[in-house]
Amino acid sequence: MIDYRSKTPAELEVLMESWGEAAFRARQFFKWLWKPGFSGITEITELPKALRARLAIEGLVYDLKVQEVITSLLDGTVKWAFRLSDGAIIETVLIPSNSHTTLCISSQVGCGMGCRFCRTGTMGFERNLVPSEIAGQVLAVLEQTERERWPRNIVFMGMGEPLANFENVVSAVRILTHELGLNFSKRRITVSTCGLAPQIVRLGKETEVGLAISLHATTDELRDKIMPVNRRYPLGELMEACRRYRLPRRRRITFEYIIFRGLNHSQQDALRLSHLLRGIPSKINLIAYNQVQGLGFDAPRHEDVAQFQRYLLNIGFTAVVRKSRGRDINAACGQLWARALGRGDEERVNPG
Ligand code: SF4
C-alpha cells in the first residue's frame, strides 16, 4: 500500500503521471491530505470518481493514534503519546509561551546515539519514522488544539537523532513547509543534532531550516565520554561543519549546553567555548541537568548555572538559561514512552 502522506508534492506528481493523470491532480490531492480534519479520500469531490477509487485501493492516508495526552498544570505544556501502526510509541510536546507556541517532534523510535545522560539513549534504536509519522505529529496536534494555540515553531528535539534519519526528515520538512499543505515557514523549523557533521553540511544545502547543536562539553576528552558520537566526529570537525552550514539570513546556530554538576561549567569551559564557536553566528541555551537515577550525573546548583552564564555573557555571548517546561508531566524525551509502555518511571529526562 502506498503511504500517501509520506510523499512530497513532487513525488505525488510522479505517481499521478505514472497513472496517466495530470500533474495538477497531485497538487489537489496533497492539499486535501494535509487539511486539518480531513476525513478520507471519498471527501475529495474535486477529484474524478475513478481516481478516488484507485487512490483508495492502492494506498492509505496514515493517521497517528493518540495513546495518551497530558497537560501540565504548571505552564500549560501538552504532551502526546502517539501509538504507531506497529505498536511503537512516540511523543510530541506542545510548549506554549507568551509570544509563540513551539511544537517538539520526534524523528525516530528510540535513539542509537547512546548519550550517557539521556534516557532515550538507554532505550537504544528501534526504527526510523517515515515522513507521514514525522509530519503527521504536527497535523494531529493541530487537529486537537484550538487555533489560537497552534504552534508557530517546530523543533526536531523529541525522541531520536533527526540527522540519522536524514531522507525522511528532509521529506517531512518539505511536506510541512509546502504552501499547499501546512505552510510552515522554514525559518520557524529547527533541526537539532548531537553532531553528525557530514549530515549537518548536507542539511544546510538541502533545506533552509534552523540548526541546533547539542554540545554539552568543551573538550573532546569529556565529550567522548558523555556523547559517543564525538569519537566519530570530534569537536573540530563538528565546528567546521557548523561554519559550513548555510544559515537562513539573520539566523544563528543554537548551541544547547546541559550543565552537569562539577563537569562542564568552569571559567576554562567558557573560554574554550569562545574558541570553539569563533566565527559561528551563535546563541547558547543553558539547561540545568535534571538528575536521572542510575545514569551517574548530578544536577548543578542554581549558582553554578548563574555563574557559568555570567562567564559567557562577559565574553560577549548570547546565553540564556532555558526554563524547564512541563516538569509535572515529565515533558522530556523518552519519558512518555516509558510511561505508555507501563514502565512507570517518574524521573524527568533531559532533552537531546
Ligand atoms: S540526547 Fe538526543 S541524540 Fe543523544 S541519545 Fe538522547 S535522543 Fe539520542
Side-chain angles (χ1 to χ4, degrees):
M1 296 288 267
I2 304 165
D3 173 7
Y4 297 126
R5 278 195 175 139
S6 278
K7 296 209 173 288
T8 61
E11 288 165 343
L12 283 178
E13 272 185 27
V14 172
L15 177 73
M16 288 292 169
E17 280 165 6
S18 75
W19 289 357
E21 298 285 346
F24 77 91
R25 294 294 184 204
R27 293 193 289 278
Q28 285 176 319
F29 186 39
F30 181 84
K31 195 176 74 188
W32 280 89
L33 278 178
W34 292 97
K35 224 181 224 189
F38 171 66
S39 63
I41 289 167
T42 48
E43 189 189 329
I44 318 175
T45 46
E46 65 186 309
L47 294 181
K49 213 170 166 187
L51 178 55
R52 274 183 276 153
R54 182 159 190 189
L55 284 167
I57 290 166
E58 304 227 15
L60 52 85
V61 179
Y62 185 68
D63 269 323
L64 299 183
K65 302 276 174 289
V66 178
Q67 165 86 6
E68 187 175 13
V69 48
I70 320 173
T71 303
S72 164
L73 297 175
L74 294 178
D75 56 29
T77 297
V78 188
K79 191 172 59 168
W80 281 263
F82 292 110
R83 183 173 287 276
L84 308 179
S85 53
D86 61 355
I89 300 287
I90 53 166
E91 60 183 11
T92 308
V93 182
L94 185 73
I95 307 155
S97 79
N98 293 339
S99 54
H100 57 266
T101 299
T102 300
L103 189 66
C104 176
I105 62 177
S106 296
S107 56
Q108 296 181 315
V109 182
C111 182
M113 294 295 123
C115 302
R116 300 282 181 255
F117 49 85
C118 168
R119 177 73 77 204
T120 306
T122 66
M123 291 171 189
F125 170 72
E126 290 198 13
R127 72 168 173 89
N128 283 328
L129 298 186
V130 295
S132 62
E133 294 167 329
I134 300 171
Q137 295 168 63
V138 181
L139 183 67
V141 166
L142 297 186
E143 287 175 339
Q144 293 172 46
T145 308
E146 319 84 86
R147 213 182 175 95
E148 52 284 7
R149 279 166 52 91
W150 278 11
R152 256 174 62 198
N153 300 324
I154 297 173
V155 293
F156 283 76
M157 288 186 187
M159 189 187 281
E161 162 54 55
L163 297 188
N165 184 15
F166 190 88
E167 306 295 342
N168 289 338
V169 164
V170 167
S171 289
V173 167
R174 292 199 173 119
I175 290 168
L176 289 168
T177 54
H178 200 279
E179 58 190 6
L180 292 174
L182 298 175
N183 198 18
F184 274 88
S185 160
K186 286 177 192 150
R187 300 178 63 83
R188 299 208 165 270
I189 295 183
T190 300
V191 172
S192 173
T193 176
C194 66
L196 296 178
Q199 287 89 334
I200 288 173
V201 178
R202 255 184 89 193
L203 182 75
K205 285 184 184 150
E206 295 191 25
T207 71
E208 288 162 34
V209 293
L211 178 68
I213 305 288
S214 297
L215 192 62
H216 314 325
T218 62
T219 63
D220 282 320
E221 192 191 357
L222 177 61
R223 206 163 187 270
D224 280 353
K225 281 191 194 134
I226 64 175
M227 301 179 75
V229 68
N230 198 68
R231 293 182 212 141
R232 260 196 292 162
Y233 306 112
L235 282 166
E237 211 171 314
L238 174 58
M239 293 305 134
E240 188 48 37
C242 291
R243 281 186 191 91
R244 290 174 59 200
Y245 189 78
R246 209 162 53 200
L247 271 175
R249 268 190 334 124
R250 297 195 302 277
R251 285 290 299 265
R252 291 181 282 179
I253 295 178
T254 303
F255 289 88
E256 306 283 347
Y257 196 91
I258 297 177
I259 299 180
F260 305 98
R261 186 165 182 176
L263 261 193
N264 63 348
H265 51 86
S266 67
Q267 194 159 16
Q268 285 69 32
D269 282 304
L271 285 171
R272 280 192 292 263
L273 208 46
S274 73
H275 290 299
L276 284 170
L277 303 192
R278 191 167 287 158
I280 304 174
S282 54
K283 60 181 172 188
I284 302 170
N285 280 344
L286 300 174
I287 306 145
Y289 182 67
N290 273 280
Q291 208 147 330
V292 179
Q293 213 79 51
L295 295 189
F297 296 91
D298 293 323
R301 295 168 307 179
H302 177 72
E303 56 266 35
D304 296 332
V305 178
Q307 173 76 279
F308 192 59
Q309 185 188 27
R310 273 198 300 278
Y311 291 147
L312 295 174
L313 293 175
N314 287 341
I315 291 171
F317 279 118
T318 304
V320 290
V321 178
R322 218 169 67 173
K323 269 194 273 169
S324 203
R325 304 298 304 265
R327 287 190 78 121
D328 55 330
I329 58 167
N330 301 312
C333 70
Q335 192 57 49
L336 193 62
W337 185 89
R339 275 182 44 126
L341 289 183
R343 300 188 177 194
D345 191 333
E346 291 302 322
E347 281 136 7
R348 185 180 177 279
V349 183
N350 285 279

mmCIF file of all heavy atoms in Angstrom, residues 108 110-122 157-162 192-195 214 216 226-227 229 258 333 349-352, ligand 1:
data_model
loop_
_atom_site.group_PDB
_atom_site.id
_atom_site.type_symbol
_atom_site.label_atom_id
_atom_site.label_comp_id
_atom_site.label_asym_id
_atom_site.label_seq_id
_atom_site.Cartn_x
_atom_site.Cartn_y
_atom_site.Cartn_z
ATOM 1 N N GLN A 108 12.588 9.464 15.446
ATOM 2 C CA GLN A 108 12.875 8.026 15.469
ATOM 3 C C GLN A 108 12.156 7.396 16.666
ATOM 4 O O GLN A 108 11.763 8.118 17.595
ATOM 5 C CB GLN A 108 14.390 7.777 15.659
ATOM 6 C CG GLN A 108 15.259 8.295 14.531
ATOM 7 C CD GLN A 108 16.736 7.998 14.765
ATOM 8 O OE1 GLN A 108 17.254 8.187 15.860
ATOM 9 N NE2 GLN A 108 17.410 7.520 13.722
ATOM 10 N N GLY A 110 13.076 5.468 19.772
ATOM 11 C CA GLY A 110 14.349 5.253 20.455
ATOM 12 C C GLY A 110 15.432 6.093 19.796
ATOM 13 O O GLY A 110 15.148 6.988 18.995
ATOM 14 N N CYS A 111 16.686 5.794 20.132
ATOM 15 C CA CYS A 111 17.805 6.535 19.524
ATOM 16 C C CYS A 111 19.069 5.703 19.675
ATOM 17 O O CYS A 111 19.289 5.090 20.724
ATOM 18 C CB CYS A 111 17.978 7.890 20.212
ATOM 19 S SG CYS A 111 19.308 8.879 19.479
ATOM 20 N N GLY A 112 19.876 5.685 18.634
ATOM 21 C CA GLY A 112 21.082 4.863 18.667
ATOM 22 C C GLY A 112 22.339 5.634 19.028
ATOM 23 O O GLY A 112 23.434 5.082 18.949
ATOM 24 N N MET A 113 22.198 6.889 19.431
ATOM 25 C CA MET A 113 23.392 7.716 19.647
ATOM 26 C C MET A 113 24.033 7.483 21.017
ATOM 27 O O MET A 113 25.190 7.812 21.220
ATOM 28 C CB MET A 113 23.040 9.203 19.479
ATOM 29 C CG MET A 113 22.641 9.575 18.071
ATOM 30 S SD MET A 113 24.016 9.366 16.894
ATOM 31 C CE MET A 113 23.297 8.251 15.728
ATOM 32 N N GLY A 114 23.256 6.951 21.946
ATOM 33 C CA GLY A 114 23.825 6.490 23.227
ATOM 34 C C GLY A 114 24.391 7.557 24.132
ATOM 35 O O GLY A 114 25.329 7.262 24.902
ATOM 36 N N CYS A 115 23.875 8.785 24.082
ATOM 37 C CA CYS A 115 24.376 9.815 25.004
ATOM 38 C C CYS A 115 24.156 9.328 26.436
ATOM 39 O O CYS A 115 23.064 8.861 26.775
ATOM 40 C CB CYS A 115 23.671 11.153 24.772
ATOM 41 S SG CYS A 115 23.864 11.742 23.090
ATOM 42 N N ARG A 116 25.197 9.425 27.230
ATOM 43 C CA ARG A 116 25.188 8.756 28.537
ATOM 44 C C ARG A 116 24.186 9.344 29.528
ATOM 45 O O ARG A 116 23.793 8.701 30.483
ATOM 46 C CB ARG A 116 26.588 8.828 29.174
ATOM 47 C CG ARG A 116 27.665 8.179 28.338
ATOM 48 C CD ARG A 116 27.625 6.652 28.463
ATOM 49 N NE ARG A 116 28.677 6.061 27.660
ATOM 50 C CZ ARG A 116 28.469 5.443 26.494
ATOM 51 N NH1 ARG A 116 27.260 5.314 26.012
ATOM 52 N NH2 ARG A 116 29.478 4.930 25.822
ATOM 53 N N PHE A 117 23.804 10.599 29.305
ATOM 54 C CA PHE A 117 22.947 11.297 30.283
ATOM 55 C C PHE A 117 21.474 11.211 29.915
ATOM 56 O O PHE A 117 20.624 11.781 30.591
ATOM 57 C CB PHE A 117 23.346 12.787 30.347
ATOM 58 C CG PHE A 117 23.455 13.403 28.988
ATOM 59 C CD1 PHE A 117 22.337 13.901 28.345
ATOM 60 C CD2 PHE A 117 24.673 13.451 28.320
ATOM 61 C CE1 PHE A 117 22.430 14.423 27.066
ATOM 62 C CE2 PHE A 117 24.777 13.981 27.041
ATOM 63 C CZ PHE A 117 23.645 14.467 26.412
ATOM 64 N N CYS A 118 21.144 10.503 28.821
ATOM 65 C CA CYS A 118 19.808 10.609 28.241
ATOM 66 C C CYS A 118 19.069 9.276 28.335
ATOM 67 O O CYS A 118 19.599 8.237 27.945
ATOM 68 C CB CYS A 118 19.955 11.037 26.780
ATOM 69 S SG CYS A 118 18.448 10.893 25.832
ATOM 70 N N ARG A 119 17.851 9.335 28.846
ATOM 71 C CA ARG A 119 17.059 8.107 28.992
ATOM 72 C C ARG A 119 16.755 7.476 27.630
ATOM 73 O O ARG A 119 16.813 6.260 27.479
ATOM 74 C CB ARG A 119 15.760 8.432 29.740
ATOM 75 C CG ARG A 119 14.834 7.274 29.877
ATOM 76 C CD ARG A 119 15.303 6.235 30.902
ATOM 77 N NE ARG A 119 15.055 6.669 32.250
ATOM 78 C CZ ARG A 119 15.724 6.230 33.311
ATOM 79 N NH1 ARG A 119 16.711 5.364 33.168
ATOM 80 N NH2 ARG A 119 15.424 6.656 34.507
ATOM 81 N N THR A 120 16.451 8.311 26.623
ATOM 82 C CA THR A 120 16.181 7.747 25.289
ATOM 83 C C THR A 120 17.401 6.971 24.807
ATOM 84 O O THR A 120 17.276 5.914 24.179
ATOM 85 C CB THR A 120 15.834 8.855 24.284
ATOM 86 O OG1 THR A 120 14.764 9.616 24.802
ATOM 87 C CG2 THR A 120 15.416 8.276 22.948
ATOM 88 N N GLY A 121 18.588 7.519 25.107
ATOM 89 C CA GLY A 121 19.829 6.854 24.703
ATOM 90 C C GLY A 121 19.923 5.450 25.278
ATOM 91 O O GLY A 121 20.438 4.533 24.628
ATOM 92 N N THR A 122 19.398 5.263 26.487
ATOM 93 C CA THR A 122 19.482 3.925 27.102
ATOM 94 C C THR A 122 18.473 2.953 26.480
ATOM 95 O O THR A 122 18.587 1.751 26.661
ATOM 96 C CB THR A 122 19.230 3.990 28.629
ATOM 97 O OG1 THR A 122 17.871 4.394 28.849
ATOM 98 C CG2 THR A 122 20.171 4.962 29.323
ATOM 99 N N MET A 157 13.384 18.017 18.350
ATOM 100 C CA MET A 157 14.149 17.783 19.583
ATOM 101 C C MET A 157 13.504 16.703 20.437
ATOM 102 O O MET A 157 13.799 16.580 21.619
ATOM 103 C CB MET A 157 14.240 19.073 20.412
ATOM 104 C CG MET A 157 15.139 20.124 19.831
ATOM 105 S SD MET A 157 15.329 21.508 20.948
ATOM 106 C CE MET A 157 16.232 22.644 19.905
ATOM 107 N N GLY A 158 12.563 15.973 19.857
ATOM 108 C CA GLY A 158 11.933 14.892 20.622
ATOM 109 C C GLY A 158 12.802 13.649 20.566
ATOM 110 O O GLY A 158 14.029 13.720 20.517
ATOM 111 N N MET A 159 12.146 12.510 20.538
ATOM 112 C CA MET A 159 12.893 11.258 20.560
ATOM 113 C C MET A 159 13.646 11.053 19.239
ATOM 114 O O MET A 159 13.093 11.268 18.160
ATOM 115 C CB MET A 159 11.873 10.129 20.763
ATOM 116 C CG MET A 159 12.481 8.790 21.023
ATOM 117 S SD MET A 159 11.165 7.530 21.030
ATOM 118 C CE MET A 159 10.497 7.762 22.648
ATOM 119 N N GLY A 160 14.929 10.647 19.353
ATOM 120 C CA GLY A 160 15.690 10.299 18.155
ATOM 121 C C GLY A 160 16.667 11.363 17.705
ATOM 122 O O GLY A 160 16.640 12.497 18.166
ATOM 123 N N GLU A 161 17.576 10.952 16.815
ATOM 124 C CA GLU A 161 18.556 11.862 16.205
ATOM 125 C C GLU A 161 18.079 12.125 14.772
ATOM 126 O O GLU A 161 18.171 11.244 13.898
ATOM 127 C CB GLU A 161 19.944 11.197 16.242
ATOM 128 C CG GLU A 161 20.969 11.786 15.299
ATOM 129 C CD GLU A 161 21.171 13.298 15.448
ATOM 130 O OE1 GLU A 161 21.460 13.765 16.552
ATOM 131 O OE2 GLU A 161 21.030 14.016 14.425
ATOM 132 N N PRO A 162 17.544 13.321 14.500
ATOM 133 C CA PRO A 162 16.942 13.584 13.183
ATOM 134 C C PRO A 162 17.890 13.333 12.015
ATOM 135 O O PRO A 162 17.480 12.814 10.976
ATOM 136 C CB PRO A 162 16.556 15.062 13.244
ATOM 137 C CG PRO A 162 16.616 15.454 14.667
ATOM 138 C CD PRO A 162 17.465 14.476 15.400
ATOM 139 N N SER A 192 17.603 19.674 15.411
ATOM 140 C CA SER A 192 18.627 19.582 16.453
ATOM 141 C C SER A 192 19.413 18.287 16.279
ATOM 142 O O SER A 192 18.819 17.228 16.050
ATOM 143 C CB SER A 192 17.930 19.588 17.815
ATOM 144 O OG SER A 192 18.856 19.336 18.837
ATOM 145 N N THR A 193 20.715 18.372 16.409
ATOM 146 C CA THR A 193 21.541 17.171 16.247
ATOM 147 C C THR A 193 22.597 17.084 17.348
ATOM 148 O O THR A 193 23.064 18.098 17.859
ATOM 149 C CB THR A 193 22.244 17.162 14.866
ATOM 150 O OG1 THR A 193 23.110 16.015 14.796
ATOM 151 C CG2 THR A 193 23.065 18.416 14.627
ATOM 152 N N CYS A 194 22.992 15.822 17.645
ATOM 153 C CA CYS A 194 24.068 15.638 18.623
ATOM 154 C C CYS A 194 25.427 15.798 17.946
ATOM 155 O O CYS A 194 26.443 15.784 18.624
ATOM 156 C CB CYS A 194 23.940 14.268 19.284
ATOM 157 S SG CYS A 194 24.200 12.893 18.158
ATOM 158 N N GLY A 195 25.443 15.935 16.598
ATOM 159 C CA GLY A 195 26.727 16.253 15.970
ATOM 160 C C GLY A 195 27.136 15.370 14.809
ATOM 161 O O GLY A 195 28.326 15.050 14.670
ATOM 162 N N SER A 214 23.491 19.909 20.034
ATOM 163 C CA SER A 214 23.604 19.507 21.443
ATOM 164 C C SER A 214 25.090 19.377 21.742
ATOM 165 O O SER A 214 25.708 18.387 21.361
ATOM 166 C CB SER A 214 22.913 18.155 21.660
ATOM 167 O OG SER A 214 21.546 18.270 21.377
ATOM 168 N N HIS A 216 27.238 20.392 24.991
ATOM 169 C CA HIS A 216 27.357 19.840 26.351
ATOM 170 C C HIS A 216 28.787 19.630 26.869
ATOM 171 O O HIS A 216 28.957 19.173 28.011
ATOM 172 C CB HIS A 216 26.595 18.519 26.514
ATOM 173 C CG HIS A 216 25.213 18.529 25.947
ATOM 174 N ND1 HIS A 216 24.393 19.639 25.966
ATOM 175 C CD2 HIS A 216 24.484 17.550 25.319
ATOM 176 C CE1 HIS A 216 23.242 19.345 25.384
ATOM 177 N NE2 HIS A 216 23.272 18.109 24.967
ATOM 178 N N ILE A 226 30.762 11.392 27.301
ATOM 179 C CA ILE A 226 29.314 11.526 27.531
ATOM 180 C C ILE A 226 28.501 11.413 26.239
ATOM 181 O O ILE A 226 27.313 11.145 26.296
ATOM 182 C CB ILE A 226 28.970 12.843 28.284
ATOM 183 C CG1 ILE A 226 29.319 14.082 27.461
ATOM 184 C CG2 ILE A 226 29.652 12.873 29.638
ATOM 185 C CD1 ILE A 226 28.878 15.388 28.114
ATOM 186 N N MET A 227 29.152 11.614 25.077
ATOM 187 C CA MET A 227 28.435 11.531 23.800
ATOM 188 C C MET A 227 29.283 10.737 22.807
ATOM 189 O O MET A 227 30.171 11.283 22.144
ATOM 190 C CB MET A 227 28.148 12.944 23.258
ATOM 191 C CG MET A 227 27.308 13.778 24.212
ATOM 192 S SD MET A 227 26.993 15.448 23.609
ATOM 193 C CE MET A 227 25.757 15.160 22.352
ATOM 194 N N VAL A 229 29.039 9.908 19.892
ATOM 195 C CA VAL A 229 29.135 10.444 18.525
ATOM 196 C C VAL A 229 30.421 11.251 18.351
ATOM 197 O O VAL A 229 30.952 11.366 17.239
ATOM 198 C CB VAL A 229 27.890 11.319 18.199
ATOM 199 C CG1 VAL A 229 27.870 12.595 19.022
ATOM 200 C CG2 VAL A 229 27.802 11.652 16.718
ATOM 201 N N ILE A 258 23.875 21.414 28.274
ATOM 202 C CA ILE A 258 23.381 20.933 29.575
ATOM 203 C C ILE A 258 24.512 21.059 30.586
ATOM 204 O O ILE A 258 25.648 20.631 30.323
ATOM 205 C CB ILE A 258 22.927 19.459 29.481
ATOM 206 C CG1 ILE A 258 21.755 19.319 28.501
ATOM 207 C CG2 ILE A 258 22.522 18.937 30.862
ATOM 208 C CD1 ILE A 258 21.308 17.874 28.294
ATOM 209 N N CYS A 333 12.326 14.065 26.537
ATOM 210 C CA CYS A 333 12.413 12.913 25.647
ATOM 211 C C CYS A 333 12.439 11.594 26.400
ATOM 212 O O CYS A 333 13.081 11.437 27.409
ATOM 213 C CB CYS A 333 13.629 13.029 24.732
ATOM 214 S SG CYS A 333 15.199 12.843 25.538
ATOM 215 N N VAL A 349 13.681 13.399 32.077
ATOM 216 C CA VAL A 349 14.864 13.191 31.254
ATOM 217 C C VAL A 349 15.186 14.504 30.560
ATOM 218 O O VAL A 349 14.295 15.274 30.222
ATOM 219 C CB VAL A 349 14.592 12.094 30.211
ATOM 220 C CG1 VAL A 349 15.819 11.806 29.399
ATOM 221 C CG2 VAL A 349 14.105 10.839 30.896
ATOM 222 N N ASN A 350 16.455 14.757 30.360
ATOM 223 C CA ASN A 350 16.826 15.980 29.677
ATOM 224 C C ASN A 350 16.593 15.877 28.187
ATOM 225 O O ASN A 350 16.727 14.809 27.610
ATOM 226 C CB ASN A 350 18.298 16.290 29.930
ATOM 227 C CG ASN A 350 18.489 16.814 31.304
ATOM 228 O OD1 ASN A 350 18.260 17.981 31.575
ATOM 229 N ND2 ASN A 350 18.856 15.930 32.208
ATOM 230 N N PRO A 351 16.279 17.013 27.557
ATOM 231 C CA PRO A 351 16.086 16.971 26.124
ATOM 232 C C PRO A 351 17.400 16.701 25.412
ATOM 233 O O PRO A 351 18.442 17.090 25.877
ATOM 234 C CB PRO A 351 15.564 18.367 25.783
ATOM 235 C CG PRO A 351 16.039 19.226 26.899
ATOM 236 C CD PRO A 351 16.154 18.368 28.111
ATOM 237 N N GLY A 352 17.313 16.003 24.246
ATOM 238 C CA GLY A 352 18.521 15.794 23.450
ATOM 239 C C GLY A 352 18.888 17.055 22.795
ATOM 240 O O GLY A 352 19.787 17.168 22.063
HETATM 241 S S1 SF4 B 1 20.424 13.168 23.724
HETATM 242 FE FE1 SF4 B 1 19.365 13.099 21.708
HETATM 243 S S2 SF4 B 1 20.920 12.146 20.355
HETATM 244 FE FE2 SF4 B 1 21.597 11.723 22.458
HETATM 245 S S3 SF4 B 1 20.718 9.694 22.931
HETATM 246 FE FE3 SF4 B 1 19.235 11.252 23.649
HETATM 247 S S4 SF4 B 1 17.781 11.492 21.939
HETATM 248 FE FE4 SF4 B 1 19.630 10.485 21.131
#
